[in-house]
Amino acid sequence: MTESMEDSRLMQQIAERDTSALELLYDRYERAVYSFAYRIVGDPMTAEETVQELFLRVWNNAERYEASQGKLTTWMFVITRNIAVDMLRRKSKGAATMAVENESLAAYADEQTNTEQEVERKWEGTRIREALSQLNSDQQQVIESIYYGGLTQQEVSSRYGIPLGTVKSRVRLAMKQLQKLLADAELQPDAGREGIHP
């Protein structure tokens, strides 16, 4: 079986919601996609974000890929470029307004009470903890180590003896699942309480 035929089969399995097929695709192309993204954005963290967003889109849009229209890598690189350019635009806008926004936020914080912000933080924390509890134990381990323990993906790999590619796959799939769980929570009647905006 040629690589292109293998890619087509993997995409078909991903379209059928096969997470192991997505992990195989990730392991096969993550390095090449990261290098391509890094050449565009010039920043390791932004390149990593671009890679994660790409594979999230592959997961959500696998059925749109048609092998007859070209190689999978070409399709993926086009999407990667679009994501990377969007990332640069957002960061550029953020940098241009950050000083003004920070000054305004500081003044607002001095003049206003923190009650509503505290309520919102607690509400967000509760929702996130509830969503985390619904992940499998492997995903919980890497997410809590990175986002609460402050470890890098490489440090998680070393500490728990998990291959780095597997750590990255678990983070990506966990973030996708959390995104869905939190979005579903927005549809619950008590999620739209007045004055609280996630």
Side-chain angles (χ1 to χ4, degrees):
M1 183 180 292
T2 66
E3 184 172 292
S4 62
M5 290 174 65
E6 289 178 357
D7 286 348
S8 296
R9 178 59 182 156
L10 282 177
M11 291 299 288
Q12 182 181 343
Q13 291 172 331
I14 293 168
E16 295 167 357
R17 319 313 279 171
D18 183 342
T19 56
S20 62
L22 184 63
E23 289 189 9
L24 282 172
L25 192 74
Y26 184 92
D27 290 342
R28 179 177 293 176
Y29 292 119
E30 182 268 340
R31 191 179 299 266
V33 170
Y34 175 88
S35 296
F36 180 69
Y38 183 79
R39 287 201 299 271
I40 298 173
V41 300
D43 173 67
M45 184 67 70
T46 306
E48 184 65 39
E49 290 174 7
T50 301
V51 171
Q52 293 186 10
E53 177 64 21
L54 166 71
F55 282 97
L56 177 59
R57 292 192 190 182
V58 169
W59 174 255
N60 289 328
N61 300 285
E63 70 281 356
R64 296 186 183 179
Y65 171 68
E66 294 288 343
S68 60
Q69 296 178 359
K71 292 176 63 176
L72 176 61
T73 49
T74 302
W75 184 73
M76 290 171 64
F77 283 148
V78 168
I79 297 173
T80 301
R81 181 187 178 281
N82 292 340
I83 295 169
V85 170
D86 286 344
M87 291 265 188
L88 287 176
R89 285 176 182 152
R90 286 202 299 271
K91 289 182 183 296
S92 176
K93 287 182 181 177
T97 59
M98 188 175 295
V100 174
E101 288 179 352
N102 284 347
E103 185 177 335
S104 298
L105 286 172
Y108 177 81
D110 289 339
E111 295 169 4
Q112 303 294 327
T113 68
N114 291 323
T115 303
E116 182 176 338
Q117 293 175 354
E118 186 64 26
V119 170
E120 182 170 351
R121 277 197 297 272
K122 289 181 178 178
W123 171 238
E124 287 293 324
T126 299
R127 290 175 55 211
I128 291 171
R129 282 193 297 274
E130 288 175 352
L132 274 172
S133 71
Q134 297 180 58
L135 300 178
N136 67 42
S137 58
D138 289 339
Q139 292 173 340
Q140 285 184 41
Q141 181 185 59
V142 296
I143 291 297
E144 289 176 356
S145 296
I146 292 169
Y147 292 98
Y148 293 113
L151 301 182
T152 65
Q153 293 183 353
Q154 182 63 61
E155 288 169 339
V156 172
S157 172
S158 300
R159 174 172 294 189
Y160 298 108
I162 306 169
L164 182 58
T166 301
V167 172
K168 290 182 177 181
S169 296
R170 287 178 185 174
V171 169
R172 177 176 36 76
L173 294 174
M175 294 304 291
K176 175 186 67 64
Q177 184 69 8
L178 283 173
Q179 186 178 49
K180 180 179 185 303
L181 290 168
L182 292 172
D184 288 347
E186 289 298 308
L187 302 178
Q188 300 303 318
D190 63 346
R193 61 184 65 181
E194 185 175 355
I196 296 181
H197 305 286

